């Protein structure tokens, strides 16, 4: 990393004064030259100068607003390249939240309180219960319906797990949706039952969740929620996102489009629309292409098709190369299920890339990721080698032999560093119990960077309850717990504290982590020429931090605060 003392442009002739100048800062460019500068200048929505305090003076006129940073750090506007807007904003307004509760009893009390506060509700929906607090058969199957029946048998209660991959419901929800012990289980889904009696347990996993009717919200409700979501993103220094959505995708995009028309949209949004195995592929692809034609502005575009090829470890639905442990409750030779026929997946991948869309694949298990790479290799062999920026996300287990294939096939690794430590009330009770020794090798990160693979970081919010990239940067650098208080435990003071440390060989550097949230995310979203680094001519999406990430103790990165967020040269957040 070099310290820049001169501007990026040659010559000293200045043709215009800046609207805004930032001086006396630690300006990390995150560009190919990996430079640290002192100052920058903005004209309208573009960066027009990056360099020294002395030379930036040439850009200061009588109407220029000068901000003295007093040594604060500036980085490019951050990019969350796998997120589900509007996140918890709708839940906060209309549903019961179960995050940060540590018992089934706590969940039940929260639902009771919600019903008391909303006595006219015809159904109760919510999210946030955790597998990590469950024991016995409930750790394998999920919480029983009887817990919720004790709250109400008169109205449906439908509660999504914090990871989004399982629904916990009461008997009324099963009844009104016509689900019985004889109901045919959708491919790739699980309807849990009591093995002794055959009675419905009260949980539905993966594609079986679609058997339950979920709440529908109006366009106005989505616009209100998106406005709150946007404010939250700005408070975390996030200025661009890749939006993941299934059924409400159209409403989310419509809400954002309406906000853009009203000049209220201050996020760069790229969209990825899900293709389901259970529905006709060509019909779904045509729908994505229609959406791509409908939403095609500088702020709002559809660029990708999302595929699910397995589920999640905690649900026993990830597809593994070696069997789950007996503790998973599925027998001695249970590997999970790959959700696609391989030939159909290869054809689908080819069609998506032929249409000019990128591929974005949910894959947590090592067998699933190996199959996905095999399918992408078939696309490569077919000659579809254009710049598609195909991506695999989550990557909880990856076979060592498959790491280099990401580089060979130009596949981007989309990771969620927020999860990459031994989480209290999670790792020992779920991952280690279901995977055994393999859990010690979860979530490769440093290995991807070391092999020259493009790594883009994201939150998968609301699966991550607090989508603050500084928490993820902390974890990526330390491979240890980010903020003890958020997890209900005492904080650590040293990055080698063994209690929550997960495979420190996978640590990344601070610059690698910043780039994973900036220029790498921009590349993944085909925007690296517009955003992602601080360079002359790029859009002025910027974040000011109160401390220098390169010099503080890595375990304190989580405590760094966003002071200002700029979008298109405008100040959209300030503490």
């Amino acid at each position: 990393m070099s310290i820049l003392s001169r501007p990026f442009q040659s010559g000293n002739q200045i043709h215009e004064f800046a609207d805004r100048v930032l001086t006396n800062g630690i300006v990390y460019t995150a560009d190919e030259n990996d430079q640290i500068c002192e100052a920058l200048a903005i004209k309208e929505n573009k960066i027009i100068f990056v360099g020294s305090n002395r030379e930036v003076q040439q850009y200061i006129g009588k109407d220029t607003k000068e901000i003295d940073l007093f040594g604060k750090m500036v980085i490019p506007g951050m990019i969350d390249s796998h997120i589900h807007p509007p996140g918890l904003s709708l839940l906060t307004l209309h549903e019961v939240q179960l995050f940060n509760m540590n018992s089934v009893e706590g969940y039940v009390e929260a639902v009771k309180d919600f019903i008391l506060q909303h006595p006219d509700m015809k159904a109760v929906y919510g999210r946030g219960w955790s597998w990590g607090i469950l024991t016995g058969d409930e750790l394998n199957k999920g919480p029983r319906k009887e817990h919720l029946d004790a709250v109400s048998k008169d109205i449906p209660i439908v509660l999504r797990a914090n990871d989004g991959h399982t629904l916990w419901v009461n008997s009324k929800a099963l009844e009104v949706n016509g689900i019985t012990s004889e109901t045919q289980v959708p491919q790739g889904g699980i309807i849990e039952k009591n093995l002794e009696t055959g009675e419905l347990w009260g949980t539905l996993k993966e594609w079986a969740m679609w058997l339950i009717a979920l709440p529908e919200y109006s366009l106005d409700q989505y616009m209100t929620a998106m406005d709150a979501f946007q404010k939250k993103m700005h408070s975390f220094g996030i200025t661009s996102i890749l939006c993941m959505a299934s059924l409400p995708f159209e409403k989310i995009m419509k809400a954002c489009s309406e906000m853009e028309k009203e000049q209220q949209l201050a996020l760069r949004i790229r969209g990825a629309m899900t293709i389901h195995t259970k529905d006709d592929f060509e019909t779904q692809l045509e729908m994505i292409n229609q959406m791509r034609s409908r939403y095609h502005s500088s702020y709002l575009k559809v660029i990708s098709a999302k595929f699910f090829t397995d589920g999640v470890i905690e649900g026993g639905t990830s597809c593994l190369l070696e069997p789950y442990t007996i503790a998973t409750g599925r027998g001695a030779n249970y590997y999970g299920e790959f959700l696609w026929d391989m030939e159909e997946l290869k054809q689908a991948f080819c069609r998506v890339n032929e249409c000019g869309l990128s591929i974005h694949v949910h894959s947590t298990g090592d067998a699933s990721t190996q199959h996905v790479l095999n399918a992408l290799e078939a696309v490569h062999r077919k000659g579809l080698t254009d710049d598609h920026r195909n991506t695999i996300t989550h990557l909880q287990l990856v076979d060592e032999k498959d790491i280099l294939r990401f580089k060979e096939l130009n596949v981007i690794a989309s990771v969620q560093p927020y999860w990459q430590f031994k989480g209290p009330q999670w790792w020992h009770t779920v991952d280690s119990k279901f995977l055994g020794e393999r859990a010690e090798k979860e979530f490769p990160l440093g290995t991807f960077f070391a092999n020259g693979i493009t790594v883009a970081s994201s939150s998968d919010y609301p699966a991550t309850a607090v989508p603050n990239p500084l928490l993820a940067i902390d974890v990526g650098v330390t491979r240890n717990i980010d903020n003890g208080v958020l997890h209900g435990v005492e904080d650590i003071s040293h990055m080698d504290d063994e209690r929550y440390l997960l495979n420190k060989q996978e640590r990344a550097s601070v610059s690698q982590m910043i780039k994973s949230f900036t220029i790498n995310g921009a590349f993944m979203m085909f925007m690296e020429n517009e955003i992602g680094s601080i360079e002359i001519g790029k859009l002025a999406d910027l974040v000011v931090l109160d401390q220098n990430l390169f010099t503080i103790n890595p375990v304190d990165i989580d405590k760094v605060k966003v002071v200002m967020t700029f979008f298109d040269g405008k100040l959209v957040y300030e503490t």
Side-chain angles (χ1 to χ4, degrees):
M1 187 179 302
S2 62
I3 308 296
L4 187 74
S5 61
R6 295 190 59 80
F8 285 2
Q9 67 180 42
S10 60
N12 294 317
Q13 185 177 4
I14 306 303
H15 298 286
E16 56 187 348
F17 292 122
D19 296 325
R20 195 185 302 263
V21 163
L22 280 61
T23 60
N24 296 315
I26 307 296
V27 181
Y28 177 57
T29 59
D31 64 348
E32 289 184 359
N33 297 314
D34 215 29
Q35 298 176 106
I36 291 179
C37 311
E38 296 173 321
L40 63 89
I42 301 166
K43 179 70 174 179
E44 296 178 346
N45 67 339
K46 296 283 185 69
I47 298 167
I48 61 170
F49 169 86
V50 186
S52 70
N53 287 324
R54 179 178 58 82
E55 292 185 281
V56 79
Q57 300 302 314
Q58 302 171 83
Y59 292 86
I60 299 175
K62 63 181 178 64
D63 296 322
T64 302
K65 181 174 182 180
E66 184 176 356
I67 299 175
D68 190 331
L69 296 170
F70 295 104
K72 296 181 181 68
M73 187 175 194
V74 184
I75 62 173
M78 288 188 278
I79 299 165
D80 193 316
S81 53
H82 184 112
I83 192 168
H84 298 263
L88 297 178
S89 297
L90 273 173
L91 272 72
T92 301
L93 296 169
H94 307 291
E95 302 183 17
V96 57
Q97 291 195 58
L98 305 176
F99 293 91
N100 300 319
M101 298 178 186
N102 296 320
S103 68
V104 172
E105 293 76 20
Y107 300 148
V108 169
E109 286 303 312
V111 175
K112 284 181 181 177
D113 290 344
F114 186 83
I115 291 175
L116 286 173
Q117 294 167 22
H118 304 84
D120 297 328
M121 281 277 189
K122 299 294 188 282
V124 173
Y125 298 92
R127 180 169 182 156
W129 62 268
S130 171
W131 288 93
I133 58 93
L134 302 176
T135 58
D137 289 343
E138 290 191 332
L139 177 59
N140 305 129
K141 298 177 182 295
R144 298 172 186 267
K145 66 182 185 302
E146 285 79 11
H147 297 298
L148 299 178
D149 288 344
V151 178
S152 177
K153 290 186 177 181
D154 299 322
I155 61 172
I157 302 174
V158 180
L159 306 174
R160 190 182 291 262
N162 58 3
D163 62 16
H165 287 259
T166 302
L167 293 180
W168 171 26
V169 300
N170 68 346
S171 295
K172 190 66 174 180
L174 294 169
E175 176 192 327
V176 300
N177 287 281
I179 300 170
T180 70
S181 58
E182 305 300 319
T183 297
Q184 183 175 350
V185 181
Q187 179 185 355
I190 296 173
I191 301 175
E192 292 288 5
K193 299 177 183 177
N194 185 314
L195 294 180
E196 294 180 1
T197 66
E199 183 183 1
L200 293 173
W201 188 270
T203 50
L204 300 92
K205 298 178 178 178
E206 307 299 344
W207 296 120
M209 294 191 299
W210 295 100
L211 298 173
I212 299 287
L214 295 176
E216 294 188 7
Y217 297 108
S218 68
L219 179 61
D220 285 344
Q221 288 172 318
Y222 269 106
M223 289 180 67
T224 299
M226 281 303 302
D227 181 65
F229 171 83
Q230 178 172 270
K231 289 181 171 67
K232 182 187 290 285
M233 294 300 103
H234 291 163
S235 74
F236 293 142
I238 296 169
T239 54
S240 299
I241 64 168
L242 179 61
C243 164
M244 301 287 150
S246 298
L247 285 180
F249 189 81
E250 173 83 51
K251 278 188 177 176
I252 291 170
M253 297 299 280
K254 178 68 172 172
C256 294
S257 179
E258 291 299 313
M259 290 173 67
E260 184 178 16
K261 289 175 185 176
E262 296 174 8
Q263 298 185 331
Q264 298 300 312
L265 186 63
L267 283 174
R268 305 188 198 283
I269 300 174
R270 299 297 180 261
M273 191 170 177
T274 302
I275 288 180
H276 301 273
T277 54
K278 62 185 178 65
D279 298 325
D280 179 70
F281 170 77
E282 288 296 337
T283 301
Q284 294 179 86
L285 185 59
E286 175 59 27
M287 177 66 72
I288 296 175
N289 281 322
Q290 289 176 13
M291 296 284 282
R292 185 163 53 155
S293 298
R294 195 172 303 149
Y295 303 106
H296 193 75
S297 71
S298 60
Y299 283 4
L300 194 62
K301 290 181 183 178
V302 177
I303 63 168
S304 187
K306 183 183 179 185
F307 294 78
F308 286 85
T309 55
D310 70 348
V312 290
I313 296 293
E314 58 269 26
T317 52
S318 294
C319 183
L320 307 182
L321 290 170
E322 299 296 331
Y324 285 86
T325 66
I326 294 294
T328 312
R330 300 286 172 182
N333 291 292
Y334 177 71
Y335 295 81
E337 180 183 1
F338 191 69
L339 300 181
W340 280 78
D341 172 84
M342 275 301 291
E343 289 307 312
E344 290 180 1
L345 186 64
K346 291 174 186 177
Q347 293 172 18
F349 280 0
C350 284
R351 288 284 293 119
V352 165
N353 277 174
E354 284 170 348
C355 287
L357 291 160
S358 71
I359 294 164
H360 193 101
V361 187
H362 166 115
S363 181
T364 58
D366 46 9
S368 174
T369 294
Q370 190 169 97
H371 294 327
V372 172
L373 289 168
N374 290 343
L376 290 171
E377 187 173 346
V379 173
H380 205 70
R381 285 200 303 267
K382 193 173 179 180
L384 295 175
T385 56
D386 289 342
D387 188 15
H388 297 299
R389 308 189 187 184
N390 298 326
T391 301
I392 307 176
T393 191
H394 303 320
L395 301 167
Q396 189 162 353
L397 292 178
V398 182
D399 189 82
E400 287 183 10
K401 298 188 296 294
D402 287 325
I403 294 286
L404 284 176
R405 298 179 70 197
F406 280 77
K407 180 72 171 178
E408 293 164 0
L409 298 170
N410 296 317
V411 176
I412 296 168
S414 167
V415 300
Q416 292 73 43
Y418 299 86
W419 311 337
Q420 296 182 354
F421 63 96
K422 293 180 179 179
Q425 291 193 309
W426 184 269
W427 189 87
H428 289 285
T429 55
V430 179
D431 292 359
S432 181
K433 193 168 279 188
F434 288 5
L435 297 174
E437 292 182 358
R438 288 170 293 181
E440 298 281 357
K441 300 291 186 180
E442 286 183 317
F443 298 117
L445 180 65
T447 300
F448 282 129
F449 283 113
N451 285 282
I453 294 155
T454 300
V455 178
S457 288
S458 58
S459 67
D460 198 18
Y461 175 66
T464 298
V466 182
N468 179 354
L470 294 166
L471 302 180
I473 292 171
D474 182 309
V475 177
V477 173
T478 66
R479 295 287 287 195
N480 216 322
I481 195 167
D482 49 353
N483 184 305
V485 174
L486 285 178
H487 302 280
V489 298
E490 67 175 354
D491 217 343
I492 61 171
S493 58
H494 195 282
M495 64 193 296
D496 287 328
D497 189 313
E498 292 285 345
R499 287 172 292 174
Y500 313 111
L501 180 62
L502 177 63
N503 192 6
K504 66 181 181 181
Q505 282 70 36
E506 291 295 340
R507 285 170 173 160
S509 70
V510 172
S511 61
Q512 286 171 336
M513 290 308 303
I514 294 174
K515 286 183 175 181
S516 75
F517 272 109
T518 54
I519 192 63
N520 293 359
F523 177 82
M524 176 179 161
M525 291 161 53
F526 301 90
M527 299 182 73
E528 74 278 11
N529 293 323
E530 304 164 68
I531 59 172
S533 60
I534 300 176
E535 300 181 71
I536 290 174
K538 285 198 171 184
L539 295 168
D541 294 356
L542 305 163
V543 184
V544 179
L545 306 175
D546 69 347
Q547 296 184 68
N548 183 347
L549 300 184
F550 291 113
T551 58
I552 65 171
N553 185 337
V555 300
D556 291 328
I557 292 174
D558 66 286
K559 300 175 183 65
V560 174
K561 304 298 182 187
V562 173
V563 177
M564 288 181 276
T565 301
F566 294 91
F567 176 82
D568 252 355
K570 300 181 181 68
L571 183 63
V572 293
Y573 173 79
E574 185 175 17
T575 54

